[in-house]
Amino acid sequence: DTAVSQTPKYLVTQMGNDKSIKCEQNLGHDTMYWYKQDSKKFLKIMFSYNNKELIINETVPNRFSPKSPDKAHLNLHINSLELGDSAVYFCASSLSGLSYNEQFFGPGTRLTVL
Amino acid sequence: KNEVEQSPQNLTAQEGEFITINCSYSVGISALHWLQQHPGGGIVSLFMLSSGKKKHGRLIATINIQEKHSSLHITASHPRDSAVYICAAHNTDKLIFGTGTRLQVFP
């Protein structure tokens, strides 16, 4: 059983389009995250949600809008895609946002904006 | 300068060698995480530690809070250990990641 799943795995799209990436966890965790990994493999937090409530919004452009319909899902919608949005996006979850909780990562979604 | 620095950036080793990857951080932390990113891209958590030392199989992680430094050691390295190893400082509510160390172990 996959613990944290993301769809799609690959996404290729044109500049200016709007796209969504879905994330689901079946671990019963309260906290979910979105991370961006750039071309140099550097990971950076984008958002975190705790029980459907936004906890962290790390100065991400307004074109990125996370949505958490329930605590098992955290989707990422991106409007007006730009070339610089090309990256691998990882979803993750943890029991809570506390530091001693292990984070479980999804397989990543490789977004390519042409 | 990144708040979390790792060294070396790249590391090659022969099978069986003892490996050390270093992580220094400049922010206050409540825990330090070590992650492994496989060549296929998946990320798994290896350790979380806030003091002392933890061991899991051939992997050992240590942290010195006063010196703001952590190390990840791999004993008897194996080609399947080839991956990118990332340390991350848990600062307030979020993880701040190092730049990663790419390890290649040759048979």
Side-chain angles (χ1 to χ4, degrees), chain B residues 64-83:
Chain B
N64 184 318
I65 298 292
Q66 286 74 31
E67 294 187 5
K68 295 193 170 184
H69 182 269
S70 176
S71 293
L72 177 68
H73 306 285
I74 305 174
T75 61
S77 59
H78 189 274
R80 65 174 173 265
D81 297 326
S82 298

Side-chain angles (χ1 to χ4, degrees), chain A residues 3 21 29 31 40-41 46 51 56 59 63 66 74 82 101 104 108-109 113:
Chain A
I21 307 172
H29 288 168
T31 306
K40 294 184 179 176
K41 300 286 194 180
M46 297 175 71
N51 211 359
I56 294 174
T59 60
R63 299 182 296 102
L74 181 61
E82 299 178 358
N101 291 142
F104 293 79
T109 295
V113 182

Side-chain angles (χ1 to χ4, degrees), chain B residues 5-82:
Chain B
E5 294 278 355
Q6 285 184 239
S7 63
Q9 278 192 301
N10 295 285
L11 187 52
T12 57
Q14 288 296 125
E15 183 172 356
E17 284 185 11
F18 181 82
I19 304 291
T20 295
I21 299 170
N22 295 300
C23 176
S24 297
Y25 52 92
S26 56
V27 294
I29 69 164
S30 46
L32 193 289
H33 294 238
W34 281 101
L35 309 168
Q36 180 192 54
Q37 186 165 25
H38 300 294
I43 299 173
V44 295
S45 176
L46 298 175
F47 294 104
M48 294 172 298
L49 63 168
S50 54
S51 65
K53 176 178 169 179
K54 285 192 176 180
K55 185 175 190 291
H56 186 243
R58 294 180 295 105
L59 300 179
I60 303 166
T62 63
I63 189 167
N64 184 318
I65 298 292
Q66 286 74 31
E67 294 187 5
K68 295 193 170 184
H69 182 269
S70 176
S71 293
L72 177 68
H73 306 285
I74 305 174
T75 61
S77 59
H78 189 274
R80 65 174 173 265
D81 297 326
S82 298

Side-chain angles (χ1 to χ4, degrees), chain A residues 16-34:
Chain A
N17 284 350
D18 303 338
K19 290 293 177 186
S20 292
I21 307 172
K22 295 187 175 182
C23 178
E24 176 181 2
Q25 53 95 2
N26 63 5
L27 298 166
H29 288 168
D30 282 342
T31 306
M32 295 185 73
Y33 310 83
W34 276 110

Side-chain angles (χ1 to χ4, degrees), chain A residues 3 7 17 26-27 42 66 70 72 80 94-95 97 108 112:
Chain A
T7 52
N17 284 350
N26 63 5
L27 298 166
F42 188 63
D70 55 60
S80 304
S94 63
L95 190 60
T112 303

